[in-house]
Amino acid sequence: MLVLSRKKGESIVIQDQIELTILSVDGDTVKVGITAPKHVDIFRKEVYLSIQEANRESVAPQQTNLNALIYRLRDVNKNE
């Protein structure tokens, strides 16, 4: 991890496309402005992790769906 110190109004540039600017510092809270191309998704980490978990759940087969598939396959094999 690269650790940098910045003051209010100072920026960090990432690969000529993304600029992070420190907008304010108030105690433990730092406001960061982000300028990036529209095709770059930007999420707070807790939101990003929630999206990843939802994606994992959506692709994981549910037992009821598997049971229904097995039942149908058995039924098709009986008819052949």
Side-chain angles (χ1 to χ4, degrees), residues 24-48:
S24 67
V25 179
D26 184 20
D28 288 344
T29 303
V30 178
K31 280 191 180 179
V32 178
I34 303 169
T35 304
K38 290 192 181 279
H39 70 275
V40 175
D41 293 329
I42 301 171
F43 300 102
R44 295 188 328 258
K45 186 171 184 176
E46 63 274 14
V47 172
Y48 178 74

Side-chain angles (χ1 to χ4, degrees), residues 55-75:
N55 287 342
R56 278 192 294 275
E57 289 174 0
S58 69
V59 297
Q62 295 183 356
Q63 190 61 40
T64 55
N65 292 341
L66 288 175
N67 290 341
L69 177 60
I70 291 168
Y71 179 78
R72 286 186 178 181
L73 289 173
R74 285 182 182 159
D75 194 41

